């Protein structure tokens, strides 16, 4: 009898808990996949890239742009977003954000305050990527229409993810990671830069996706160096790649090795593993970096005999020297030019010797500038391709 009464009680309760208390109709929402934040005087200019539902559903397409862009200016980011209702017939909905672009002017002034809204808003997830509009505004970046991906925000997301995995001088940084690095005592953040190749005004026109060679395109650049929440400069391509080797973020990339008798060949990194170990030596902090990699030979443009063990050993040594140079160069640049620890060496010291870190952390950036770093690289060639020696050997003059 008791079981029957319990069952009746549970069934009655279902009448009061069905449905969703804060449900939203899709027709009332402006689904936003991209957001840009710029500084305009003392105010924020927020730009959102909103999906046009009818253009995504092929059977209902009217042949117009699949996205529309709205902008508004406010004293805070949240105020600017709400002010967009004066131009948008629907409320901006950011739960599906893919990319947030920060204008370079804002980044140099400080991005902390502008990101508070995104960390606090209950609708926003934190799995989107954050990047900096290098030499331009976030608004201009979001206005450019793209070809392979109909929705530009998806293109920006996928391109950053792909380039970070296949090329390596870029980094896909989520909001969680960015906030963690900004608040860390032993590491400063980096963000990838985006440039607009061509005239952004041409990129905003429909003709930008109607020709094979678009007048304006997005292109990811290199890594921007931050001191806490302020952008202080940019690394070049090789320095950005060296940074990712140190942070163990190289999944795959291409590298060029000079041949001993002239010419060059290209190798593809297929695996890379980095271990960073912090320690105290003679009362001073010390860092050991151990990088182990595996590569394939992918492109031979010189006269070289790949069938010889000696040749493979020489190439492995040259590959090790190349990676070591990338790593040492970026460490030297950051220590001398930017003087902030973007590598997390401070965190490595903290993990290995918490007692010493308590004293070092108060003045870590100065300690970082004189930090002794030892780099060791071990590279193995796994494959030389589908052929042995290049056909170039047969057409030697």
């Amino acid at each position: 009898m008791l079981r029957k009464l319990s069952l009746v009680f549970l069934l009655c309760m279902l009448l009061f808990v069905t449905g969703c208390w804060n449900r939203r109709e899709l027709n009332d929402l402006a689904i936003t996949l991209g957001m840009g934040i710029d500084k305009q005087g003392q105010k924020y200019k927020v730009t959102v890239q909103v999906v046009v539902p009818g253009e995504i559903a092929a059977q209902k397409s009217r042949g117009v742009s699949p996205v529309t862009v709205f902008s508004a200016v406010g004293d805070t980011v949240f105020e600017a977003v709400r002010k967009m209702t004066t131009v948008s017939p629907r409320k901006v909905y950011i739960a599906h954000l893919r990319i947030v672009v920060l204008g370079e002017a804002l980044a140099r002034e400080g991005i902390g305050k502008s990101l508070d809204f995104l960390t606090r808003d209950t609708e926003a997830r934190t799995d989107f990527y954050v990047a900096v509009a290098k030499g331009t505004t976030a608004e201009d970046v979001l206005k450019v229409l793209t070809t392979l991906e109909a929705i530009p925000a998806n293109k920006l997301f996928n391109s950053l993810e792909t380039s970070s995995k296949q090329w390596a001088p870029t980094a896909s940084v989520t909001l969680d990671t960015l906030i963690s690095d900004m608040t860390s005592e032993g590491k400063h953040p980096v963000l990838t830069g985006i440039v607009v190749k061509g005239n952004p005004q041409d990129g905003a026109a429909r003709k930008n996706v109607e020709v094979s060679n678009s007048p304006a395109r997005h292109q990811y650049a290199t890594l921007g160096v931050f001191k806490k929440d302020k952008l202080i400069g940019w690394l070049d391509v090789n320095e950005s790649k060296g940074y990712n080797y140190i942070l163990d973020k190289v999944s795959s990339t291409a590298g060029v090795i000079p041949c001993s008798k002239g010419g060059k060949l290209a190798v593809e990194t297929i695996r890379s593993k980095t271990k960073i170990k912090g320690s105290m030596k003679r009362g001073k902090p010390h860092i050991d970096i151990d990088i182990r990699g595996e590569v394939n030979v992918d492109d031979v443009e010189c006269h070289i005999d790949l069938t010889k063990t000696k040749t493979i050993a020489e190439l492995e040594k040259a590959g090790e020297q190349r990676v070591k140079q990338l790593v040492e160069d970026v460490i030297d640049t950051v220590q001398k030019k930017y003087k902030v620890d973007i590598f997390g060496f401070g965190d490595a010291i903290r993990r290995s010797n918490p007692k010493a870190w308590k004293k070092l952390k108060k003045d870590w950036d100065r300690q970082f500038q004189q930090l002794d770093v030892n780099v060791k690289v071990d590279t193995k060639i796994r494959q030389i391709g589908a052929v042995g020696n290049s056909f170039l050997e047969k057409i030697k003059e």
Side-chain angles (χ1 to χ4, degrees):
M1 184 64 181
L2 182 61
R3 292 182 62 185
K4 291 182 178 180
L5 289 174
S6 298
L7 182 60
V8 172
F9 176 76
L10 289 173
L11 291 173
C12 291
M13 287 296 294
L14 289 176
L15 297 175
F16 298 97
V17 297
T18 55
C20 182
W21 69 273
N22 66 340
R23 71 184 178 88
R24 311 279 183 83
E25 296 293 339
L26 285 176
N27 290 338
D28 297 330
L29 300 176
I31 307 298
T32 301
L33 298 188
M35 176 181 285
I37 308 175
D38 292 299
K39 202 68 187 291
Q40 185 166 299
Q42 297 301 312
K43 297 178 181 291
Y44 294 101
K45 184 173 186 179
V46 179
T47 304
V48 296
Q49 190 180 100
V50 176
V51 175
V52 179
E55 295 307 305
I56 302 302
Q59 66 274 18
K60 297 181 180 179
S61 175
R62 297 170 295 166
V64 299
S65 173
V67 295
T68 187
V69 173
F70 298 113
S71 295
V73 177
D75 289 323
T76 68
V77 173
F78 178 65
E79 182 184 58
V81 170
R82 282 302 176 89
K83 192 183 279 189
M84 287 179 193
T85 56
T86 61
V87 291
S88 170
R90 302 180 182 184
K91 179 180 177 293
V92 172
Y93 185 63
I94 62 173
H96 300 289
L97 269 179
R98 302 283 270 170
I99 188 84
V100 169
V101 183
L102 307 169
E104 182 167 349
L106 170 68
R108 291 191 179 275
E109 186 174 317
I111 62 176
K113 294 179 181 178
S114 62
L115 296 176
D116 185 78
F117 161 67
L118 293 172
T119 62
R120 194 177 299 275
D121 192 285
T122 55
E123 289 181 346
R125 298 182 300 191
T126 56
D127 58 350
F128 54 83
Y129 293 147
V130 185
V132 177
K134 184 179 181 181
T136 186
T137 63
E139 180 182 19
D140 280 345
V141 169
L142 290 182
K143 282 183 176 180
V144 175
L145 298 175
T146 55
T147 49
L148 283 179
E149 295 282 356
I151 300 174
N154 281 341
K155 183 269 178 190
L156 288 170
F157 180 92
N158 293 330
S159 183
L160 181 54
E161 194 167 66
T162 302
S163 65
S164 64
K165 292 179 179 179
Q166 301 296 323
W167 178 223
T170 58
S172 49
V173 180
T174 62
L175 182 62
D176 279 344
T177 300
L178 177 59
I179 298 298
S180 176
D181 288 349
M182 285 196 298
T183 56
S184 172
E185 294 177 325
K187 187 176 186 294
H188 294 273
V190 301
L191 287 176
T192 303
I194 309 173
V195 297
V196 177
K197 294 289 187 178
N199 189 335
Q201 301 306 317
D202 292 337
R206 184 68 180 175
K207 65 179 181 180
N208 201 55
V209 295
E210 293 178 340
V211 293
S212 60
N213 187 18
S214 301
R217 294 176 185 267
H218 297 123
Q219 181 176 332
Y220 279 107
T222 54
L223 299 178
V225 177
F226 282 73
K227 184 173 184 178
K228 293 302 181 182
D229 73 331
K230 294 182 179 180
L231 176 69
I232 58 175
W234 297 91
L235 301 177
D236 64 23
V237 172
N238 288 332
E239 290 166 348
S240 297
K241 189 176 288 190
Y243 168 88
N244 279 324
Y245 268 111
I246 295 172
L247 271 288
D248 195 27
K249 292 183 177 180
V250 175
S251 299
S252 179
T253 187
V256 176
I257 298 175
C259 299
S260 58
K261 297 181 180 180
K264 54 188 179 293
L265 59 79
V267 295
E268 176 196 10
T269 298
I270 56 174
R271 286 179 204 84
S272 179
K273 183 64 180 177
T274 301
K275 292 183 179 180
I276 299 176
K277 183 180 179 182
S279 61
M280 297 296 294
K281 293 186 177 181
R282 297 176 184 176
K284 294 184 178 181
H286 178 85
I287 293 292
D288 287 298
I289 300 176
D290 184 16
I291 302 174
R292 298 181 181 274
E294 297 180 17
V295 302
N296 291 337
V297 176
D298 273 34
D299 185 5
V300 178
E301 298 182 11
C302 63
H303 299 296
I304 191 171
D305 190 351
L306 293 174
T307 62
K308 294 183 177 180
T309 304
K310 180 182 177 182
T311 302
I312 298 299
E314 289 174 352
L315 290 178
E316 289 176 341
K317 185 176 180 181
E320 290 168 355
Q321 184 57 40
R322 169 186 160 273
V323 173
K324 185 176 181 180
Q325 193 68 53
L326 289 174
V327 170
E328 290 179 341
D329 285 350
V330 69
I331 293 173
D332 185 64
T333 296
V334 176
Q335 283 183 322
K336 293 179 179 178
K337 185 176 181 179
Y338 298 121
K339 303 176 182 180
V340 293
D341 182 3
I342 60 174
F343 309 108
F345 292 157
D347 286 339
I349 298 294
R350 175 183 57 80
R351 291 191 298 269
S352 68
N353 196 326
K355 185 177 179 180
W357 176 247
K358 288 182 179 180
K359 297 179 180 179
L360 293 170
K361 68 179 182 180
K362 299 175 183 178
D363 193 24
W364 176 243
D365 283 340
R366 188 182 66 82
Q367 296 277 354
F368 166 75
Q369 295 170 44
Q370 285 86 40
L371 183 65
D372 183 32
V373 182
N374 178 58
V375 181
K376 180 182 177 182
V377 181
D378 181 45
T379 299
K380 299 297 181 186
I381 293 178
R382 293 306 179 198
Q383 295 182 16
I384 59 173
V387 297
N389 287 328
S390 172
F391 67 89
L392 296 175
E393 291 295 312
K394 298 180 181 180
I395 57 174
K396 289 173 61 176
E397 295 182 357

